[in-house]
Amino acid sequence: MHTCGYDKNKISLVVADIDGCLTQGKKSSIDIDSLKLLRDYNNGLVKMGLPPLVFCTGRPQPYVEALSQLLGVKMPCVCENGAVIYKPDQDTILIHPTIRPSFLHEINRMREKFSDGHLSGITFQVEPGKEVCISLNPISKDGGEEFSLREKVVELYNVVKDMVDQSIFSVNHSTTAVDITPFGIDKGVGVRWLSQLTSIDEQFMLGIGDSAGDIPFLTRVGYPAAPENACDAVKSVAKYVSPLPFAEGVVDIINVLVKQSGHDTFGVHP
């Protein structure tokens, strides 16, 4: 496990994934106590001279908008794995400039192929709210059938990857969903775009992630960190791994920054 190795004087922005970091993912309760601490941090950082917290996530803009309101996020956030940026202060979205109208036509055509929610005996739901990407979430046929979600995701992934033109689309999967994204777009590309929009160099960003899909942006930022529940691949690139999981881990990671900045911690520090 890595120990804290970031320099408080060189961090201008904290960029955190959502699922697996700020939350435990879909169908899991949200740690309101930890999110309240993060809201207090974001609301009080100006007078403390600390960097604001923003998001880099695969989630769609409506979800990011709600969480931005909850945590007092005002600066641009990366959505849909780098394809979209949401600007809370203006309530507007931007689609990555490399994504052409012809691609949007193709992704909508592809979305129609999945509209009935069935492929090769697998039942799934198309995640609503996404502008550019497609996420397919396997579900049970009757709402109560027991099954291994991970196995269903892999099974669906193997079907979908043979259906798409892989010169146009990338197909990946997490433990809960199959994601279809524009070829060449990932969270690393999203953070580079975020850097251009905010004029904050990536090397002056503290990144927080937990899964393999976060590695492209964690390896771009100057100070990658991870909660305790992160996968081994993420822990191997992190400069600091919290002993606490999920949102508690994010609070701990930011607390280390706060403490190094000469302020009292804003939550329980182990």
Side-chain angles (χ1 to χ4, degrees):
M1 178 181 294
H2 294 265
T3 58
C4 182
Y6 47 72
D7 183 342
K8 64 181 177 65
N9 297 315
K10 293 185 177 180
I11 297 175
S12 300
L13 194 64
V14 178
V15 185
D17 179 33
I18 294 177
D19 291 328
C21 291
L22 294 171
T23 75
Q24 296 186 38
K26 292 185 176 183
K27 300 182 180 179
S28 297
S29 297
I30 290 179
D31 180 354
I32 295 297
D33 291 337
S34 292
L35 293 194
K36 181 180 182 299
L37 292 172
L38 294 172
R39 182 196 65 193
D40 292 346
Y41 167 81
N42 241 11
N43 287 342
L45 58 85
V46 174
K47 61 183 178 182
M48 296 172 67
L50 293 166
L53 169 68
V54 301
F55 311 129
C56 181
T57 178
R59 289 284 196 152
Q61 178 272 334
Y63 186 87
V64 173
E65 178 182 351
L67 207 58
S68 294
Q69 291 176 357
L70 181 65
L71 298 188
V73 174
K74 302 293 194 300
M75 293 184 65
C77 297
V78 179
C79 312
E80 296 194 37
N81 290 309
V84 170
I85 276 184
Y86 171 59
K87 302 177 79 172
D89 60 333
Q90 300 175 9
D91 194 28
T92 57
I93 67 168
L94 304 173
I95 294 176
H96 196 278
T98 63
I99 299 174
R100 304 301 181 192
S102 58
F103 173 84
L104 297 177
H105 173 76
E106 286 297 318
I107 200 74
N108 287 331
R109 188 175 64 84
M110 184 63 62
R111 190 176 278 112
E112 290 177 2
K113 290 185 178 183
F114 303 125
S115 60
D116 65 356
H118 300 280
L119 276 178
S120 300
I122 306 168
T123 304
F124 57 87
Q125 181 180 32
V126 180
E127 183 175 341
K130 293 200 171 182
E131 296 282 336
V132 178
C133 304
I134 300 174
S135 290
L136 309 177
N137 301 279
I139 58 176
S140 63
K141 293 180 181 179
D142 60 5
E145 177 185 342
E146 295 287 337
F147 66 91
S148 167
L149 179 59
R150 184 184 295 271
E151 290 178 2
K152 285 290 185 181
V153 167
V154 173
E155 186 179 349
L156 182 60
Y157 164 77
N158 287 330
V159 173
V160 170
K161 70 180 178 64
D162 293 331
M163 292 178 58
V164 305
D165 183 343
Q166 295 191 33
S167 68
I168 300 175
F169 305 103
S170 294
V171 183
N172 299 286
H173 70 85
S174 63
T175 58
T176 59
V178 176
D179 297 309
I180 303 169
T181 59
F183 181 80
I185 295 290
D186 58 27
K187 288 184 178 181
V189 172
V191 163
R192 181 171 60 200
W193 185 22
L194 178 67
S195 173
Q196 294 166 350
L197 290 174
T198 61
S199 298
I200 297 174
D201 193 285
E202 295 150 283
Q203 291 303 301
F204 296 156
M205 296 182 184
L206 166 62
I208 307 172
D210 71 296
S211 67
D214 297 321
I215 291 176
F217 96 84
L218 291 176
T219 53
R220 294 193 69 90
V221 301
Y223 304 93
E228 184 277 332
N229 58 283
C231 70
D232 290 341
V234 167
K235 290 179 178 178
S236 70
V237 303
K239 290 186 176 180
Y240 176 65
V241 178
S242 173
L244 300 174
F246 302 109
E248 289 181 306
V250 175
V251 170
D252 170 54
I253 290 164
I254 297 179
N255 258 331
V256 173
L257 172 63
V258 172
K259 194 172 183 179
Q260 288 188 347
S261 300
H263 299 280
D264 293 333
T265 57
F266 64 99
V268 177
H269 185 69

